[in-house]
């Protein structure tokens, strides 16, 4: 697929609502939808599942305990009301968690559900293991495409011969807007269409900016 292709593209996006970097990338993808013939399909992945068997600092492990609730609620919402509600629910959760710095509590989740036009009772799923198998399956779908040594976000797009090509990122701050967002997308498609391409990376010198 050419980086300047005008062919409509479906981009599958896996997110964990608690990841600030995934939040930045997701806002960029919404901007890309306005600039290019791209439609985003939202999927849930889980930092808690990703790091379950890893040796990580205790402080991060405490953070991951809070990460189960929001992703369970997302899966419950999708099962009850269809995958199409995930975009609005992710926006509602992310706005409260990241832009507004609200606590990762049931009250915040209920408020986000209301923002997205969903029943607040779905917040019950945060404390239930009922949705964990479906959560792990959604997570596995994204990770199987991209590989184990990455985090969130994961984006998958059609490759040069029709196969799905997945990548981690792009990790960017602040969120590019307008034509800058479109150029980054064009470049992303370009590298995704290059056989054997794996990675571009540099040290992060700034945190996520939520303006």
């Amino acid at each position: 697929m050419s980086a300047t292709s005008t062919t409509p593209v479906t981009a599958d996006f896996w997110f964990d609502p608690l990841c600030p970097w995934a939040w930045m990338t997701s806002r960029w993808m919404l901007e890309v939808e306005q600039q290019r013939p791209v439609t985003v399909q939202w999927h849930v992945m889980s930092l808690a599942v990703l790091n379950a068997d890893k040796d990580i600092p205790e402080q991060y492990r405490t953070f991951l305990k809070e990460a189960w609730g929001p992703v369970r609620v997302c899966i419950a919402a999708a099962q009850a009301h269809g995958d199409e509600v995930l975009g609005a629910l992710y926006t509602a959760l992310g706005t409260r968690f990241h832009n507004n710095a609200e606590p990762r509590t049931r009250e915040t989740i209920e408020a986000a559900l209301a923002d997205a036009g969903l029943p607040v009772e779905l917040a019950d799923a945060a404390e239930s293991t009922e949705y964990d198998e479906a959560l792990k399956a959604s997570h596995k779908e994204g990770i199987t495409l991209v590989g184990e040594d990455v985090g969130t976000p994961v984006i998958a797009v059609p490759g040069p011969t029709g196969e799905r090509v997945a990548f981690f990122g792009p990790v960017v701050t602040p969120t590019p807007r307008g034509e800058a967002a479109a150029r980054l997308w064009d470049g992303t498609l370009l590298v995704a269409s290059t056989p054997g391409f794996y990675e571009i990376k540099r040290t992060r010198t700034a945190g996520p900016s939520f303006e």
Side-chain angles (χ1 to χ4, degrees), residues 96-114:
R96 289 182 175 275
F97 288 149
H98 303 299
N99 295 64
N100 300 347
E102 295 181 32
R104 306 178 192 108
T105 61
R106 182 187 175 103
E107 290 73 21
T108 300
I109 292 173
E110 287 183 347
L113 286 164

Side-chain angles (χ1 to χ4, degrees), residues 3-200:
T4 58
S5 174
T6 57
T7 303
V9 173
T10 297
D12 292 285
F13 190 110
W14 279 264
F15 67 90
D16 184 311
L18 262 59
C19 178
W21 292 106
W23 176 245
M24 301 300 300
T25 307
S26 72
R27 301 309 91 182
W28 164 69
M29 282 305 308
L30 293 182
E31 192 75 10
V32 170
E33 281 190 312
Q34 304 304 312
Q35 303 293 327
R36 294 291 187 265
V38 175
T39 300
V40 181
Q41 292 185 343
W42 304 97
H43 308 269
V44 186
M45 65 181 295
S46 169
L47 292 172
V49 172
L50 182 69
N51 292 281
D53 300 320
K54 295 182 180 178
D55 183 16
I56 57 177
E58 188 59 34
Q59 182 178 3
Y60 190 53
R61 193 170 298 281
T62 299
F63 164 79
L64 292 178
K65 290 179 181 178
E66 298 179 329
W68 282 103
V71 288
R72 286 168 170 166
V73 171
C74 286
I75 292 293
Q79 287 190 358
H81 300 279
D83 290 343
E84 59 270 18
V85 305
L86 284 174
L89 180 54
Y90 180 27
T91 290
L93 287 166
T95 298
R96 289 182 175 275
F97 288 149
H98 303 299
N99 295 64
N100 300 347
E102 295 181 32
R104 306 178 192 108
T105 61
R106 182 187 175 103
E107 290 73 21
T108 300
I109 292 173
E110 287 183 347
L113 286 164
D115 292 342
L118 293 166
V120 297
E121 292 78 12
L122 286 168
D124 292 342
E127 301 299 327
S128 171
T129 59
E130 177 183 352
Y131 301 95
D132 287 4
E133 289 305 311
L135 169 62
K136 291 174 182 177
S138 179
H139 175 90
K140 182 178 180 181
E141 182 184 8
I143 287 296
T144 298
L145 287 170
V146 74
E148 294 288 342
D149 55 341
V150 301
T152 175
V154 170
I155 300 176
V157 296
T161 59
E163 78 285 10
R164 294 167 81 201
V165 175
F167 51 88
F168 162 66
V171 176
V172 60
T173 186
T175 298
R177 303 292 181 183
E179 185 59 25
R183 288 197 304 270
L184 179 56
W185 176 250
D186 292 343
T188 299
L189 286 184
L190 176 62
V191 297
S193 70
T194 303
F197 176 85
Y198 290 105
E199 186 172 11
I200 293 176

Side-chain angles (χ1 to χ4, degrees), residues 21 171 200-207:
W21 292 106
V171 176
I200 293 176
K201 191 172 183 178
R202 64 176 179 169
T203 300
R204 301 177 200 175
T205 58

